[in-house]
Amino acid sequence: MSPKVLHRPPSEGSWDSDPDVELMGRVRDGDGAAFRDLFTKYADAVVNFAYRFVGNRDRAEELAQEAFLQIYRARQRYEAKARFTTYLYRVATNLCLNELRRFDYQGRIEPLEGYPSEDREEGTRELPDETLPTAEEHLAGLETSARIKKVLDRLPPKQKSALLLSRVEGFSYQDVAICLETTESAVKSLIFRATQTLRENLRDLIE
Amino acid sequence: MTTAACELVSQDLPAYAQRRLDPAVAAPVERHLKTCSACQKELLELEKLDQLLAEALPAITPSPTFASTFANRLAAEIVAEEEKPSVAGQGFLSWLFRPWLVPAVAVTALIAIVVISSREALRPEDSPVVAVDTGSKGAPPQRVAAQEPKEAPKAVANASGPGRESGLLLPLPPADLVSRPDLFIDYAIIEQLDLLESDSGSGSAG
C-alpha cells in the first residue's frame, strides 16, 4: 500500500515568512475562507497525528476537529510567535495529552489501515498480484506494527509526544519545544530516552 | 564498551540521524563516529528505527463525514458567538459600555453617600474621637480620649446603657478638630461637653 502523502509541516524556515501565519492573520480579521484553507491543508495530518496518539480513529477525528475549533475560538487573540503548524500542533498535542490522562488507551489498538482484519474475509484476490505481500508477510507486518505501537503506547506521554512530533511529523527540536512548552534540551532528553526504550524493546527488529 | 565520549555522543545521535544537529554540534559527533564502531552501530539502529516507525504508523484517511461534521460544528460555534452579547475586544471594561449600567451605578453611589452621611449626622455618639459615657442616668457626660490622643482606642463597654451601643473607637492622631470638617459635629459635642463641665464645675476629664 503506497503511503498517503500528507501535508507535513516544514522543518526549516522562519515563521515570519510563513504563508500560513498570514492566512491565520486573515482569519483573525474575519476571513472565513482563510480558515477553510488552513483546515483543508492540515486536517488530515492532524487526524493522523491524533490517531498515532490515541489509536482510535473516531476519537482522533474528534480531537482534530476540536483542535481547529479551539484555534477558531481564539482567533482574535492570535499573535504570530512561531510557524502556524507549530501553533496548530501545540493545540493538538495538549488535547491528545489530556485525552491520555483522562482515558487509558493502552491496549485499544485497532486493526491498522491497509491490513485486513483477521476477522474479515478480505485479502482474497481473484488474480495473484506479485506486488502485494503474501499472507505470511501481511501477518508478519501486522505483528511488527502492533508490537511497535504497543511499545509506543507504553512510553510516558511526553516522550511519546516528543518522538511523534520529531521523528514522525518532522518538527525541529525547537518547534517540538514550543509544542510541549518546554526547552530544547528537555526535548533532546525526551527523545533520547524514548529511542533508548524503543531500541531495547525492538532490538531483534533493528539489529 | 561505551566511554564517556560515547555517552555524550549518544545523546545527540537521534538528532544526528535526522540531520537536525547544528554544524558546530555535529562536527564532534562525526569525528567520534569515524573511530567508534559501537556508536556507528547505534546510529544504524536509530535509522532503522525511524524506518520502522514510518512503516508501523501508516497514514489513515479521515472518514467521509469528517469534513461535513466539522463544518456543522463550526457553524454551531459561529451561531453561538453571534447570539452572545458582543463584548469582543472590550474585555474587562466591557461593562462600561452598557447604556443602562452607568446611570444605575451613579444613582446607587449617590444614594449610598446620602445614607452614610445621614447616619454619620444622626449618630454622634459613634464619633471616633469622643465616646460619651453615660454610665448612670443623669450623670454629666464624660469626654473620653479627646485629651488623650495616645490612648489606644477601646471598646466603650461601660456605655452600653439602654439605647446606647458600644463600639470601638477608631484610632486618630491628635487632631485639630477645627481643621477637620468631617468631625465638626463631634467638635460641636465637645463644645457642649465643655459647657456642661463648666456649668457643673467639674474638672476637665483626664
Side-chain angles (χ1 to χ4, degrees):
Chain A
M1 170 187 158
S2 58
K4 176 177 173 165
V5 175
L6 290 175
H7 195 100
R8 295 218 181 273
S11 59
E12 303 295 336
S14 170
W15 62 266
D16 52 3
S17 59
D18 181 9
D20 296 329
V21 165
E22 188 196 336
L23 272 179
M24 190 60 210
R26 284 163 47 190
V27 174
R28 179 187 54 215
D29 298 336
D31 187 345
F35 186 69
R36 186 191 59 225
D37 290 345
L38 287 171
F39 178 80
T40 303
K41 200 172 176 185
Y42 292 113
D44 284 7
V46 177
V47 169
N48 274 273
F49 173 72
Y51 178 70
R52 286 165 191 141
F53 237 106
V54 302
N56 180 292
R57 178 215 277 273
D58 289 341
R59 194 61 191 131
E61 290 188 3
E62 288 173 3
L63 289 170
Q65 291 176 2
E66 186 59 32
F68 280 95
L69 282 177
Q70 282 197 9
I71 286 174
Y72 181 79
R73 289 181 199 124
R75 66 194 184 283
Q76 291 175 343
R77 297 190 302 274
Y78 174 73
E79 276 184 59
K81 293 178 184 173
R83 281 198 299 275
F84 171 75
T85 47
T86 307
Y87 171 52
L88 171 62
Y89 275 75
R90 176 174 167 174
V91 173
T93 301
N94 283 335
L95 285 168
C96 291
L97 286 172
N98 288 340
E99 184 74 4
L100 289 184
R101 283 187 205 113
R102 287 172 57 214
F103 303 106
D104 177 16
Y105 274 89
Q106 291 189 17
R108 292 189 196 179
I109 300 175
E110 293 180 342
L112 296 170
E113 292 289 324
Y115 292 93
S117 167
E118 293 174 350
D119 296 332
R120 290 183 289 168
E121 287 296 315
E122 291 183 24
T124 303
R125 298 181 293 276
E126 290 185 4
L127 294 174
D129 188 339
E130 292 179 357
T131 62
L132 289 177
T134 63
E136 290 79 13
E137 287 167 347
H138 254 295
L139 191 59
L142 188 72
E143 287 175 354
T144 300
S145 296
R147 199 173 140 203
I148 291 170
K149 287 192 76 177
K150 204 169 182 178
V151 176
L152 272 176
D153 288 342
R154 281 203 230 110
L155 287 174
K158 282 217 162 174
Q159 284 186 26
K160 184 177 178 181
S161 307
L163 191 75
L164 289 178
L165 286 166
S166 169
R167 308 200 92 68
V168 180
E169 302 296 331
F171 280 98
S172 68
Y173 280 21
Q174 182 185 21
D175 286 336
V176 174
I178 294 173
C179 286
L180 297 182
E181 297 174 338
T182 186
T183 62
E184 276 189 60
S185 62
V187 169
K188 190 168 140 183
S189 174
L190 287 169
I191 291 174
F192 171 72
R193 283 183 272 153
T195 52
Q196 290 295 101
T197 302
L198 288 172
R199 281 181 62 217
E200 285 164 16
N201 287 275
L202 303 171
R203 189 162 293 282
D204 57 310
L205 297 176
I206 57 177
E207 279 182 339
Chain B
M1 175 178 137
T2 58
T3 64
C6 290
E7 287 182 13
L8 283 173
V9 165
S10 190
Q11 297 265 345
D12 289 324
L13 276 182
Y16 181 84
Q18 288 196 321
R19 308 295 182 264
R20 295 278 178 86
L21 282 184
D22 287 338
V25 181
V29 174
E30 283 174 0
R31 280 198 298 274
H32 178 81
L33 283 171
K34 285 178 184 171
T35 58
C36 180
S37 57
C39 289
Q40 287 173 14
K41 180 171 175 279
E42 185 173 338
L43 178 62
L44 285 172
E45 289 176 358
L46 287 172
E47 289 171 348
K48 179 75 175 160
L49 194 60
D50 284 340
Q51 189 183 342
L52 278 177
L53 281 174
E55 291 170 359
L57 303 173
I60 62 168
T61 304
S63 62
T65 56
F66 173 71
S68 58
T69 304
F70 177 70
N72 290 338
R73 289 183 70 181
L74 183 61
E77 189 75 30
I78 292 170
V79 167
E81 276 186 8
E82 287 171 356
E83 287 175 355
K84 210 162 48 173
S86 176
V87 293
Q90 295 176 359
F92 171 70
L93 297 176
S94 62
W95 62 273
L96 285 176
F97 298 95
R98 308 215 170 149
W100 54 268
L101 193 55
V102 174
V105 169
V107 168
T108 305
L110 191 61
I111 293 172
I113 291 168
V114 169
V115 166
I116 291 170
S117 300
S118 302
R119 289 181 71 184
E120 289 294 327
L122 291 173
R123 291 183 357 185
E125 61 271 17
D126 288 336
S127 160
V129 176
V130 154
V132 179
D133 181 354
T134 54
S136 58
K137 199 173 180 179
Q142 297 273 332
R143 187 175 57 197
V144 176
Q147 299 291 340
E148 302 170 349
K150 291 186 182 175
E151 186 176 336
K154 54 193 176 190
V156 187
N158 293 337
S160 54
R164 293 295 318 273
E165 21 178 356
S166 60
L168 284 172
L169 292 176
L170 295 177
L172 283 181
D176 179 358
L177 293 174
V178 176
S179 64
R180 289 287 302 274
D182 56 323
L183 297 175
F184 79 96
I185 292 177
D186 306 307
Y187 181 70
I189 292 173
I190 292 170
E191 281 187 301
Q192 289 285 333
L193 290 173
D194 284 338
L195 286 172
L196 286 171
E197 285 172 4
S198 61
D199 286 345
S200 65
S202 61
S204 58

